Amino acid sequence: MHLLFAINQKHIPLLYSCLNSIAIKGGEDNYDIHLLNSDFDQRVRDEIIKTIDKRFHCHFVNVPKDLFAGFPETRRYPVQIYYRLAAPFLLSEDIDRVLYLDVDTIIINPLASLYNLDFEDKWFVACSHTDQILNKINQIRLQTEKEVPYVNTGVLLMNLGKLRKNLNLNDIRNFPNEYQLPLFLPDQDILTALYGDKVKIADELLYNISDRILFMNNAKMHSEKINVDWVRKNSVIIHYFGKNKPWNKDYFGLLDVFYHEYGLPIDNSKQ
C-alpha cells in the first residue's frame, strides 16, 4: 500500500501520530510511505526512519522550492499543501495509485476498503463536506462551468496512471494568478475548480469524518443518527481538520477519543 504525505519539519510530530494509528489499525503488513518535502536534510531523514514502525518503508521525495513559487500561502496553509497536486510527476512511474493523507488524521479501521476502490475512470477519490447550497456558492465563487461538489483534499486517493496522462501542472501553477479569485482553502479551491468533475465522491462518514461532520449528519431530520460506537465500528479515517484539534485545550467534540487511543501526544505550542 502506497501512502503519501506532504509536510515540512514542523509537522513531523503529527506525522508520527498519524503513522502510529496506521501501524495499529491500518490493516497491512507493510507500507510504502512517500514524504514530499523541501526541507529535510539527512539528519531529519535518519531521525524519521529511526522513529517510525519498521513496517513503514520511507521514500523521501524532494520537491523543488520553486515548483509552486508565488502560490498564496499563510502560516496555516504553507506551500506544502500544493505538493500533493504534483505527486503524479514526483513519484515513480511504476506506482499506479497512492492514498494521500493529511497528518491531522487518525486511522481507526483498515484502509483497504478505501485504497482499493474502483476509480470508475475518475482521476481522484475524495469526500465532500458541503451541501448543495454551499456547492452552488463555491461554483459561483470559483467560476466553474459545471456543477461539481466541493472537494476536501485531506484524504485523496489518486489515480496516478490517469493523472500522468491528463493533469496539467501548468494549469495548477497558473490558476491563482490567471483567475485572481479569493482562495479560502487554496489547494481545495484549485482542485475543485480545475478537476471537480474528475473526482469520485466517497462517503465522508466512513473516510473523512470529523466532529463537525458528525454534528451536521445528526442535525439532518431524516438521517441515521450516529455516535462514537457507530464511528468505531464503521469509520476508517478521523480527520481533525480546521482549528478544532484534540491536542488543544479548547477542543470541543466527541472524536478525540480516537486520537488518545491511537495517536501520539502532540505539543500544541509548536503547531
Side-chain angles (χ1 to χ4, degrees), residues 175-190:
F175 182 86
N177 294 325
E178 182 176 350
Y179 288 90
Q180 294 295 306
L181 299 174
L183 299 180
F184 300 145
L185 299 168
D187 60 315
Q188 296 183 172
D189 286 349
I190 292 171

Side-chain angles (χ1 to χ4, degrees), residues 96-109:
D96 63 352
R97 67 173 59 203
V98 69
L99 177 59
Y100 169 84
L101 296 170
D102 275 355
V103 288
D104 56 359
T105 56
I106 291 292
I107 285 30
I108 66 170
N109 276 306

Side-chain angles (χ1 to χ4, degrees), residues 206-224:
L206 301 182
Y207 301 119
N208 200 331
I209 190 171
S210 69
D211 281 292
R212 188 171 74 188
I213 298 303
L214 179 65
F215 174 81
M216 290 171 58
N217 175 81
N218 290 346
K220 295 176 183 176
M221 184 175 299
H222 301 295
S223 67
E224 176 189 356

Side-chain angles (χ1 to χ4, degrees), residues 105-198:
T105 56
I106 291 292
I107 285 30
I108 66 170
N109 276 306
L111 287 165
S113 62
L114 173 59
Y115 188 82
N116 295 322
L117 278 178
D118 186 347
F119 283 105
E120 298 178 358
D121 210 38
K122 296 293 187 178
W123 302 1
F124 305 94
V125 176
C127 298
S128 177
H129 290 161
T130 56
D131 58 20
Q132 290 183 341
I133 295 175
L134 285 176
N135 283 338
K136 188 64 177 180
I137 292 172
N138 283 314
Q139 180 186 352
I140 296 171
R141 178 175 65 87
L142 297 173
Q143 300 177 18
T144 57
E145 296 180 1
K146 299 179 180 179
E147 291 189 15
V148 295
Y150 188 76
V151 177
N152 182 285
T153 58
V155 178
L156 193 64
L157 185 65
M158 307 180 72
N159 185 345
L160 297 178
K162 185 73 75 171
L163 288 167
R164 291 187 187 102
K165 295 177 181 178
N166 296 284
L167 186 140
N168 189 325
L169 194 56
N170 285 327
D171 288 345
I172 296 172
R173 188 182 294 112
N174 295 333
F175 182 86
N177 294 325
E178 182 176 350
Y179 288 90
Q180 294 295 306
L181 299 174
L183 299 180
F184 300 145
L185 299 168
D187 60 315
Q188 296 183 172
D189 286 349
I190 292 171
L191 190 143
T192 300
L194 294 179
Y195 308 115
D197 61 333
K198 306 299 183 184

Side-chain angles (χ1 to χ4, degrees), residues 191-259:
L191 190 143
T192 300
L194 294 179
Y195 308 115
D197 61 333
K198 306 299 183 184
V199 180
K200 175 179 176 177
I201 297 299
D203 189 340
E204 72 274 13
L205 296 179
L206 301 182
Y207 301 119
N208 200 331
I209 190 171
S210 69
D211 281 292
R212 188 171 74 188
I213 298 303
L214 179 65
F215 174 81
M216 290 171 58
N217 175 81
N218 290 346
K220 295 176 183 176
M221 184 175 299
H222 301 295
S223 67
E224 176 189 356
K225 303 303 185 281
I226 64 177
N227 56 23
V228 170
D229 290 337
W230 186 97
V231 172
R232 184 182 299 279
K233 180 179 178 181
N234 296 280
S235 298
V236 174
I237 301 173
I238 313 294
H239 189 185
Y240 302 107
F241 61 83
K243 296 181 179 180
N244 193 33
K245 310 292 190 185
W247 47 90
N248 291 338
K249 293 181 179 180
D250 60 352
Y251 173 84
F252 179 79
L254 303 173
L255 300 182
D256 58 331
V257 60
F258 300 109
Y259 162 71

Side-chain angles (χ1 to χ4, degrees), residues 27-74:
E28 302 295 315
D29 294 330
N30 294 283
Y31 303 86
D32 283 284
I33 306 297
H34 305 270
L35 298 177
L36 303 182
N37 70 93
S38 57
D39 65 348
F40 288 3
D41 57 23
Q42 192 59 50
R43 178 191 61 80
V44 171
R45 297 182 181 195
D46 291 343
E47 183 65 25
I48 291 174
I49 292 172
K50 182 178 72 173
T51 302
I52 63 177
D53 192 281
K54 299 307 179 186
R55 285 171 286 176
F56 297 120
H57 181 47
C58 266
H59 308 268
F60 296 97
V61 183
N62 184 66
V63 180
K65 291 185 177 181
D66 61 352
L67 187 62
F68 292 107
F71 263 49
E73 62 175 315
T74 64

